[in-house]
Amino acid sequence: MDKLTYAGNLENLQPVVDHSGYSFVQADICDSETIDKLFAEEAPDAVVHFAAESHVDRSIHSPAPVILTNFNGTFSLLEAARKNKISRFVHVSTDEVYGSIDEPYDADENYPLRASSPYSASKAGSDLLALSYYTTYKMNVSVTRASNNYGPYQFPEKLIPLMISNALEDKPLPVYGDGQQVRDWLFVEDHCRAIRSVLERGNAGEIYNIGGNCSLPNLEVIHRILKATGKPESLMTRVTDRPGHDRRYALTNEKLTKATGWEPQMDFERGLATTIDWYRSNRDWMDRIKSGEYRKFYELNYANRS
Ligand code: TYD
């Protein structure tokens, strides 16, 4: 199920359309009537809740859809799961709920919630709501908190696909502030395996961090993208910083590794090369995305950041 807003793209599901386990419903997770009916008809074994407005910059320009989808949408999914007695619910969240983490600490699952942006606050709120369904209704809910994802098919509003796409087109690469903000990078397939291990082996009422064991300052990521695409450093452009910009995210994975044996398998160099290859070979995909609503956002977000 997907609402197919600006970042939803059925083209991404082409490789699985003939799979017997696949069917698609276009719906808004805030539409509780539709969700309830769907859960009653389909009687799913489990709900894995990925649906979210996930971009910090968009949440700064326009917080309303972020709060509605991420908080109210999670509420209607939880309610429909409760009414229809669905036996497993995995709520997919983010390391951003911990806010900026000072060196030398890495957040474990008990780290305080110090969300900085409307986006991360909406996720922190929805995490608490999901966990309350375990405490109050004994629903079999687990929450995952992952670090920054990257890989094929990622919408080009996030750092890595945006920088690859601009580099391939010889356009400026906009670095917010001093570019020394640190993010932990997780390859998308490692994230998917981790969610699956939580779905199958995670415990009810528990939170599991999912980190990539790969902390890098943004400037380092951008240098590597320029090097791998063979483009000059002169494409890098400093622009005004993001308001409330978190300096550093860092997670420890110990709990998930102990519980399920999961560990990230992709090292950053290979993951980045795979991702760049994908974007190089799928320029049509990118062109189709860039011809639409995305162009408007790009102008809004980058026009006044000289
Ligand atoms: P982003 O991919 O938006 O993820 P998040 O904010 O959830 O970590 O940004 C990753 C980092 O890259 C963040 O520190 C902001 C920075 N950034 C830039 O410097 N320039 C950009 O154009 C974008 C999109 C992000």
Side-chain angles (χ1 to χ4, degrees):
M1 192 171 73
D2 197 306
K3 191 179 174 187
L4 295 181
T5 56
Y6 74 93
N9 186 349
L10 275 186
E11 202 183 324
N12 299 350
L13 293 166
Q14 271 306 314
V16 297
V17 281
D18 294 329
H19 194 286
S20 60
Y22 169 80
S23 67
F24 179 78
V25 176
Q26 183 171 6
D28 182 346
I29 55 167
C30 294
D31 175 358
S32 40
E33 220 172 281
T34 302
I35 310 293
D36 200 21
K37 197 163 149 258
L38 187 69
F39 283 8
E41 280 166 15
E42 295 281 335
D45 298 321
V47 173
V48 183
H49 170 28
F50 288 88
E53 292 276 347
S54 68
H55 190 37
V56 173
D57 294 315
R58 279 180 194 262
S59 87
I60 293 169
H61 293 295
S62 176
V66 177
I67 306 299
L68 288 176
T69 299
N70 297 1
F71 193 78
N72 294 18
T74 299
F75 174 53
S76 54
L77 285 175
L78 287 164
E79 270 299 273
R82 181 169 77 92
K83 278 193 211 149
N84 291 286
K85 301 191 170 28
I86 290 172
S87 54
R88 184 84 178 108
F89 194 106
V90 176
H91 174 63
V92 177
S93 188
T94 168
D95 61 355
E96 297 195 31
V97 298
Y98 301 122
S100 200
I101 295 163
D102 289 334
E103 286 212 64
Y105 303 105
D106 292 343
D108 66 11
E109 291 77 357
N110 296 316
Y111 201 84
L113 298 179
R114 293 208 184 101
S116 314
S117 67
Y119 162 66
S120 47
S122 72
K123 291 300 286 186
S126 63
D127 288 12
L128 295 179
L129 193 61
L131 292 167
S132 79
Y133 273 64
Y134 165 71
T135 311
T136 306
Y137 304 114
K138 300 289 166 268
M139 244 171 70
N140 186 355
V141 177
S142 302
V143 170
T144 62
R145 291 182 178 151
S147 54
N148 284 58
N149 277 221
Y150 72 102
Y153 293 104
Q154 191 172 28
F155 195 81
E157 63 189 358
K158 303 283 168 66
L159 180 76
I160 289 185
L162 183 98
M163 297 295 162
I164 295 174
S165 152
N166 284 15
L168 293 177
E169 292 179 26
D170 298 299
K171 288 195 178 144
L173 273 52
V175 182
Y176 294 172
D178 65 4
Q180 292 303 334
Q181 302 84 6
V182 171
R183 296 293 185 265
D184 171 45
W185 294 100
L186 173 68
F187 191 67
V188 60
E189 288 173 16
D190 279 332
H191 189 191
C192 293
R193 282 191 307 102
I195 291 168
R196 185 171 190 163
S197 67
V198 170
L199 175 68
E200 291 170 353
R201 277 167 287 151
N203 288 325
E206 295 291 332
I207 302 166
Y208 297 93
N209 285 347
I210 308 173
N213 290 341
C214 174
S215 282
L216 292 172
N218 293 339
L219 273 185
E220 174 64 25
V221 172
I222 297 167
H223 281 305
R224 292 197 196 191
I225 291 172
L226 286 171
K227 191 158 170 241
T229 50
K231 300 292 177 171
E233 296 274 313
S234 56
L235 280 182
M236 222 160 45
T237 316
R238 301 288 176 112
V239 299
T240 313
D241 207 353
R242 170 190 284 171
H245 198 172
D246 285 332
R247 204 68 195 155
R248 177 173 175 267
Y249 298 140
L251 288 180
T252 156
N253 283 328
E254 248 168 67
K255 181 173 171 182
L256 180 61
T257 302
K258 254 195 207 142
T260 70
W262 174 88
E263 277 183 3
Q265 287 175 0
M266 184 64 102
D267 69 75
F268 190 68
E269 203 170 322
R270 198 161 50 90
L272 190 61
T274 306
T275 307
I276 292 173
D277 277 353
W278 189 88
Y279 282 93
R280 258 195 224 283
S281 325
N282 288 276
R283 292 228 186 177
D284 294 357
W285 179 91
M286 186 65 90
D287 290 345
R288 281 192 288 277
I289 281 173
K290 287 196 155 176
S291 59
E293 196 261 357
Y294 174 67
R295 198 189 293 280
K296 279 190 254 156
F297 166 76
Y298 196 87
E299 280 157 17
L300 171 74
N301 193 45
Y302 294 96
N304 298 319
R305 288 180 185 265
S306 51

